Tab-separated table of all heavy atoms in Angstrom:
chain	number	residue	atom	x	y	z
A	1	LYS	N	99.694	33.672	118.880
A	1	LYS	CA	101.076	33.256	118.657
A	1	LYS	C	102.082	34.297	118.134
A	1	LYS	O	103.191	34.429	118.667
A	1	LYS	CB	101.094	32.195	117.708
A	1	LYS	CG	100.477	30.881	118.169
A	1	LYS	CD	101.337	30.151	119.159
A	1	LYS	CE	100.615	28.748	119.501
A	1	LYS	NZ	101.470	28.008	120.484
A	2	THR	N	101.501	35.262	117.291
A	2	THR	CA	102.310	36.280	116.888
A	2	THR	C	102.774	37.318	117.972
A	2	THR	O	103.832	37.745	118.020
A	2	THR	CB	101.511	37.163	115.716
A	2	THR	OG1	101.221	36.155	114.674
A	2	THR	CG2	102.340	38.239	115.117
A	3	VAL	N	101.722	37.621	118.773
A	3	VAL	CA	102.045	38.450	119.913
A	3	VAL	C	103.094	37.840	120.830
A	3	VAL	O	103.961	38.555	121.375
A	3	VAL	CB	100.658	38.745	120.840
A	3	VAL	CG1	101.059	39.473	122.121
A	3	VAL	CG2	99.834	39.693	119.896
A	4	GLU	N	102.974	36.505	121.196
A	4	GLU	CA	103.913	35.729	121.977
A	4	GLU	C	105.340	35.752	121.329
A	4	GLU	O	106.273	35.910	122.043
A	4	GLU	CB	103.313	34.503	122.085
A	4	GLU	CG	104.164	33.500	123.191
A	4	GLU	CD	103.467	32.157	123.249
A	4	GLU	OE1	102.210	32.096	123.429
A	4	GLU	OE2	104.278	31.199	123.121
A	5	ALA	N	105.427	35.568	120.017
A	5	ALA	CA	106.628	35.751	119.332
A	5	ALA	C	107.327	37.038	119.316
A	5	ALA	O	108.481	37.153	119.285
A	5	ALA	CB	106.471	35.304	117.717
A	6	LEU	N	106.515	38.113	119.558
A	6	LEU	CA	107.078	39.431	119.671
A	6	LEU	C	107.565	39.599	121.114
A	6	LEU	O	108.203	40.659	121.321
A	6	LEU	CB	106.055	40.462	119.294
A	6	LEU	CG	105.766	40.759	118.003
A	6	LEU	CD1	104.505	41.617	117.722
A	6	LEU	CD2	106.934	41.404	117.273
A	7	GLY	N	107.290	38.604	121.982
A	7	GLY	CA	107.928	38.703	123.362
A	7	GLY	C	106.931	39.363	124.246
A	7	GLY	O	107.298	39.834	125.426
A	8	LEU	N	105.581	39.555	123.832
A	8	LEU	CA	104.689	40.172	124.798
A	8	LEU	C	103.841	39.100	125.380
A	8	LEU	O	103.080	38.430	124.575
A	8	LEU	CB	103.863	41.187	123.831
A	8	LEU	CG	104.620	42.245	123.165
A	8	LEU	CD1	103.760	42.930	122.150
A	8	LEU	CD2	105.088	43.237	124.160
A	9	ASN	N	103.895	39.026	126.689
A	9	ASN	CA	103.024	38.095	127.365
A	9	ASN	C	101.939	38.624	128.404
A	9	ASN	O	101.171	37.937	128.828
A	9	ASN	CB	103.890	37.030	128.088
A	9	ASN	CG	104.937	37.588	128.924
A	9	ASN	OD1	104.901	38.728	129.220
A	9	ASN	ND2	105.947	36.747	129.377
A	10	LYS	N	102.151	39.957	128.696
A	10	LYS	CA	101.249	40.524	129.773
A	10	LYS	C	100.801	41.854	129.073
A	10	LYS	O	101.535	42.506	128.220
A	10	LYS	CB	101.938	40.792	130.970
A	10	LYS	CG	102.298	39.511	131.783
A	10	LYS	CD	102.826	39.985	133.257
A	10	LYS	CE	102.934	38.778	134.120
A	10	LYS	NZ	103.434	39.100	135.390
A	11	LEU	N	99.629	42.235	129.494
A	11	LEU	CA	99.113	43.659	129.132
A	11	LEU	C	100.086	44.672	129.561
A	11	LEU	O	100.563	44.654	130.677
A	11	LEU	CB	97.694	43.783	129.752
A	11	LEU	CG	96.626	44.356	128.940
A	11	LEU	CD1	96.516	43.828	127.426
A	11	LEU	CD2	95.401	44.407	129.611
A	12	HIS	N	100.299	45.743	128.707
A	12	HIS	CA	101.130	46.754	128.958
A	12	HIS	C	102.677	46.659	129.042
A	12	HIS	O	103.342	47.370	129.518
A	12	HIS	CB	100.526	47.624	130.223
A	12	HIS	CG	99.168	47.995	130.130
A	12	HIS	ND1	98.687	49.004	129.154
A	12	HIS	CD2	98.040	47.613	130.604
A	12	HIS	CE1	97.346	49.020	129.282
A	12	HIS	NE2	96.912	48.264	130.320
A	13	LYS	N	102.996	45.285	128.767
A	13	LYS	CA	104.407	45.028	128.627
A	13	LYS	C	104.970	45.659	127.311
A	13	LYS	O	104.296	45.650	126.395
A	13	LYS	CB	104.642	43.465	128.628
A	13	LYS	CG	106.129	43.166	128.539
A	13	LYS	CD	106.204	41.646	128.834
A	13	LYS	CE	107.494	41.091	128.383
A	13	LYS	NZ	108.557	41.333	129.310
A	14	THR	N	106.167	46.205	127.401
A	14	THR	CA	106.841	46.821	126.409
A	14	THR	C	108.106	46.135	126.122
A	14	THR	O	108.948	45.777	126.948
A	14	THR	CB	107.109	48.325	126.722
A	14	THR	OG1	105.970	49.014	127.010
A	14	THR	CG2	107.734	48.992	125.500
A	15	VAL	N	108.346	45.796	124.819
A	15	VAL	CA	109.629	45.192	124.375
A	15	VAL	C	110.267	46.089	123.235
A	15	VAL	O	109.578	46.909	122.521
A	15	VAL	CB	109.559	43.870	123.767
A	15	VAL	CG1	109.118	42.851	124.840
A	15	VAL	CG2	108.433	43.763	122.583
A	16	GLU	N	111.601	46.063	123.050
A	16	GLU	CA	112.183	46.812	121.974
A	16	GLU	C	112.711	45.795	121.034
A	16	GLU	O	113.343	44.771	121.427
A	16	GLU	CB	113.423	47.498	122.523
A	16	GLU	CG	113.050	48.936	123.108
A	16	GLU	CD	114.149	49.833	123.374
A	16	GLU	OE1	115.344	49.661	122.736
A	16	GLU	OE2	113.947	50.865	123.945
A	17	MET	N	112.386	45.990	119.723
A	17	MET	CA	112.559	45.037	118.736
A	17	MET	C	113.341	45.859	117.517
A	17	MET	O	113.164	46.976	117.438
A	17	MET	CB	111.452	44.284	118.168
A	17	MET	CG	110.683	43.477	119.134
A	17	MET	SD	111.407	41.982	119.534
A	17	MET	CE	110.928	40.947	118.124
A	18	PRO	N	114.282	45.235	116.886
A	18	PRO	CA	114.930	45.788	115.719
A	18	PRO	C	113.953	46.045	114.658
A	18	PRO	O	112.890	45.518	114.422
A	18	PRO	CB	115.877	44.778	115.123
A	18	PRO	CG	115.430	43.457	115.674
A	18	PRO	CD	114.638	43.738	116.855
A	19	ASP	N	114.134	47.276	113.896
A	19	ASP	CA	113.240	47.676	112.952
A	19	ASP	C	113.532	47.052	111.543
A	19	ASP	O	114.357	47.574	110.809
A	19	ASP	CB	113.369	49.190	112.766
A	19	ASP	CG	112.249	49.840	111.808
A	19	ASP	OD1	111.429	49.033	111.314
A	19	ASP	OD2	112.248	51.044	111.679
A	20	ASN	N	113.011	45.924	111.399
A	20	ASN	CA	113.231	45.100	110.101
A	20	ASN	C	111.920	44.793	109.496
A	20	ASN	O	110.770	44.846	110.066
A	20	ASN	CB	114.192	43.909	110.261
A	20	ASN	CG	113.734	43.122	111.304
A	20	ASN	OD1	112.591	42.748	111.385
A	20	ASN	ND2	114.563	42.421	112.061
A	21	ASP	N	112.013	44.123	108.313
A	21	ASP	CA	110.749	43.788	107.651
A	21	ASP	C	109.909	42.688	108.297
A	21	ASP	O	108.668	42.657	108.291
A	21	ASP	CB	111.025	43.314	106.232
A	21	ASP	CG	111.506	44.488	105.244
A	21	ASP	OD1	111.224	45.740	105.656
A	21	ASP	OD2	112.060	44.343	104.316
A	22	ALA	N	110.658	41.755	108.903
A	22	ALA	CA	109.982	40.677	109.595
A	22	ALA	C	109.301	41.093	110.864
A	22	ALA	O	107.974	40.685	110.986
A	22	ALA	CB	111.126	39.687	110.164
A	23	VAL	N	109.804	42.040	111.652
A	23	VAL	CA	109.110	42.602	112.699
A	23	VAL	C	108.005	43.452	112.357
A	23	VAL	O	106.890	43.403	112.913
A	23	VAL	CB	110.097	43.363	113.700
A	23	VAL	CG1	109.427	44.034	114.854
A	23	VAL	CG2	111.123	42.381	114.206
A	24	ARG	N	108.193	44.243	111.343
A	24	ARG	CA	107.145	45.026	110.818
A	24	ARG	C	105.994	44.322	110.300
A	24	ARG	O	104.727	44.621	110.434
A	24	ARG	CB	107.633	45.980	109.624
A	24	ARG	CG	108.612	47.038	109.930
A	24	ARG	CD	107.877	48.287	110.241
A	24	ARG	NE	108.916	49.372	110.645
A	24	ARG	CZ	108.484	50.600	110.845
A	24	ARG	NH1	107.162	50.923	110.841
A	24	ARG	NH2	109.335	51.562	111.189
A	25	GLY	N	106.182	43.086	109.667
A	25	GLY	CA	105.131	42.300	109.163
A	25	GLY	C	104.318	41.573	110.333
A	25	GLY	O	103.106	41.546	110.292
A	26	MET	N	104.943	41.338	111.404
A	26	MET	CA	104.332	40.770	112.578
A	26	MET	C	103.492	41.757	113.288
A	26	MET	O	102.301	41.492	113.659
A	26	MET	CB	105.458	40.245	113.693
A	26	MET	CG	106.155	39.021	113.175
A	26	MET	SD	107.597	38.597	114.258
A	26	MET	CE	106.791	37.862	115.499
A	27	ILE	N	104.065	43.021	113.315
A	27	ILE	CA	103.147	44.086	113.890
A	27	ILE	C	102.076	44.353	113.158
A	27	ILE	O	100.844	44.621	113.537
A	27	ILE	CB	104.112	45.422	113.906
A	27	ILE	CG1	105.187	45.340	115.045
A	27	ILE	CG2	103.159	46.654	114.385
A	27	ILE	CD1	106.246	46.294	115.040
């Protein structure tokens, strides 16, 4: 669910997310 919430649904897919504490925690 965390990977899905980051917007990643396929292998080797790349997304750009803002560098904030919430995203860092998910990573």
Side-chain angles (χ1 to χ4, degrees):
K1 292 285 189 183
T2 303
V3 168
E4 193 178 304
L6 283 168
L8 300 167
N9 51 10
K10 288 186 174 181
L11 217 50
H12 304 295
K13 179 171 164 82
T14 302
V15 294
E16 280 195 11
M17 300 287 280
D19 186 1
N20 58 34
D21 291 341
V23 174
R24 289 267 181 180
M26 291 167 79
I27 291 168

